[in-house]
Amino acid sequence: MEKIKVIIAGPRGRMGSEAVKLVERTEKFELVAVVDHKHGGKLLTELEGVSTLPVPVFADITTCLTEVKADVLIDLTTPEVGMHHTKTALEFGVRPVVGTTGFTQENLAELENLCREKETGCIIAPNFALGAVLMMKFSQLAGRYFQDVEIIELHHDKKLDAPSGTAVKTAEMIAQVRAEKSQGHPDEKETLPGARGADFSGMHIHSVRLPGLIAHQQVMFGAEGQTLTIRHDSYDRVSFMSGVKLAVDTVMNLHTLVYGLENIIE
Ligand SMILES: NC(=O)C1=CN([C@@H]2O[C@H](COP(=O)(O)OP(=O)(O)OC[C@H]3O[C@@H](n4cnc5c(N)ncnc54)[C@H](O)[C@@H]3O)[C@@H](O)[C@H]2O)C=CC1
Ligand SMILES: O=C(O)C1=N[C@H](C(=O)O)C[C@H](O)C1
């Protein structure tokens, strides 16, 4: 059996270290290198507690892709770094699986064009947890019937981007089916700026950051005399790994950009 050769960018991170374990324990995957700007030239075994595999660590993606043959790059870093890694991988014909959030609409459009030009597949998944993907799909269904919706996303306090990629994706999916409406009272005023959260097509997104949390989201719909709440909780980052595995498998057969795991689950 030909193994899928995988590079992971961000191997010391909360998600990256979990992805290293996933690739290690998956028979048909082979970890061939990692990218870590702080530890170029070392072996992964020298990075404390990450892995017992002696794979090379590269400080930059271009050197890594020049020296190592790979099929897939898993990126779990930061938006600017992730964008650079994704573009470089596509230039090398290596398929990116991107969990990094914070990409703009312009970033996505640029990557979509690059995928088409290079005829190389790429998956960008704001959330790899199956339950979160279902939460987004159920919310989209509810959005057909309820115009009034508030999205509350709750994360650990080390998170850099707000709102979360999941909240943005949820709002995008609901906006595809929801009759547009600016919510709340037409004369409402914020006496403290930000009190009503971020505005996405008239829907409001609220970002909570607290130690103790991992990744949670609640989508609340309201209508006369009733509310509907759809909620998902990730209590452990292992919740994201079956989605990462599915994305690595699937991207091998793609030639375009797929944004969101809802597009590849049955
Ligand atoms: N799609 C999904 O299901 C999930 C996505 N995320 C996203 O994944 C990203 C990472 O999240 P965490 O692991 O919690 O963050 P983290 O801060 O623990 O990890 C990020 C890692 O990127 C590394 N890094 C920074 N610059 C780099 C560079 N130039 N080259 C190589 N590595 C570099 C850092 O050293 C760090 O280890 C975030 O954007 C987050 O929103 C997080 C959880 C689930
Ligand atoms: O940073 C995180 O932790 C997470 N980020 C993703 C997001 O921004 O939606 C996915 C998940 O919520 C965890």
Side-chain angles (χ1 to χ4, degrees):
M1 177 189 56
E2 187 82 6
K3 294 195 177 199
I4 301 176
K5 294 183 169 55
V6 178
I7 294 171
I8 295 177
R12 281 179 300 118
R14 287 174 288 270
M15 274 295 279
S17 54
E18 203 60 56
V20 168
K21 287 190 230 157
L22 168 78
V23 174
E24 274 184 358
R25 68 173 176 260
T26 307
E27 190 141 349
K28 62 181 165 180
F29 296 170
E30 180 187 356
L31 188 64
V32 289
V34 298
V35 180
D36 187 323
H37 59 313
K38 293 202 174 150
H39 293 281
K42 293 185 184 168
L43 289 175
L44 190 54
T45 40
E46 296 172 70
L47 273 55
E48 212 180 300
V50 179
S51 173
T52 51
L53 287 181
V55 308
V57 182
F58 291 87
D60 77 283
I61 189 75
T62 307
T63 316
C64 178
L65 293 172
T66 305
E67 295 190 12
V68 177
K69 189 179 156 3
D71 300 304
V72 175
L73 165 76
I74 301 177
D75 189 86
L76 295 159
T77 59
T78 61
E80 292 76 22
V81 173
M83 185 62 189
H84 170 61
H85 285 175
T86 306
K87 284 191 337 190
T88 312
L90 288 169
E91 294 290 352
F92 276 81
V94 171
R95 306 156 190 86
V97 166
V98 183
T100 305
T101 51
F103 284 14
T104 62
Q105 288 302 325
E106 291 73 31
N107 291 154
L108 294 174
E110 186 180 347
L111 294 174
E112 188 168 27
N113 287 335
L114 193 55
C115 285
R116 205 172 299 122
E117 188 191 311
K118 300 286 173 194
E119 295 182 9
T120 303
C122 172
I123 295 178
I124 298 182
N127 202 312
F128 286 115
L130 177 63
V133 177
L134 291 175
M135 176 254 303
M136 291 185 254
K137 283 176 78 98
F138 297 155
S139 299
Q140 187 179 43
L141 177 62
R144 276 204 228 157
Y145 306 97
F146 291 82
Q147 260 183 306
D148 289 86
V149 47
E150 304 262 336
I151 299 172
I152 302 152
E153 56 96 337
L154 311 92
H155 282 84
H156 58 91
D157 62 348
K158 302 286 180 291
K159 185 161 178 61
L160 296 176
D161 54 320
S164 70
T166 308
V168 173
K169 181 69 169 153
T170 308
E172 287 168 355
M173 287 171 67
I174 295 172
Q176 286 168 9
V177 298
R178 168 182 173 267
E180 198 149 339
K181 176 178 181 184
S182 186
Q183 280 175 215
H185 195 285
D187 297 333
E188 76 179 10
K189 274 199 185 64
E190 289 182 333
T191 54
L192 276 180
R196 291 287 289 122
D199 186 320
F200 188 107
S201 290
M203 291 175 260
H204 292 257
I205 305 179
H206 311 269
S207 297
V208 177
R209 297 291 177 263
L210 283 173
L213 294 171
I214 300 253
H216 318 260
Q217 181 169 291
Q218 159 164 330
V219 187
M220 294 184 70
F221 297 88
E224 299 276 287
Q226 59 180 317
T227 63
L228 167 66
T229 302
I230 302 171
R231 180 172 170 119
H232 176 261
D233 298 273
S234 274
Y235 299 110
D236 190 308
R237 289 182 179 83
V238 77
S239 61
F240 303 112
M241 292 304 127
S242 58
V244 176
K245 184 164 180 275
L246 174 71
V248 172
D249 271 331
T250 307
V251 80
M252 290 299 291
N253 299 313
L254 293 178
H255 298 96
T256 54
L257 175 79
V258 168
Y259 168 51
L261 275 203
E262 71 282 2
N263 297 303
I264 62 168
I265 61 169
E266 290 302 310

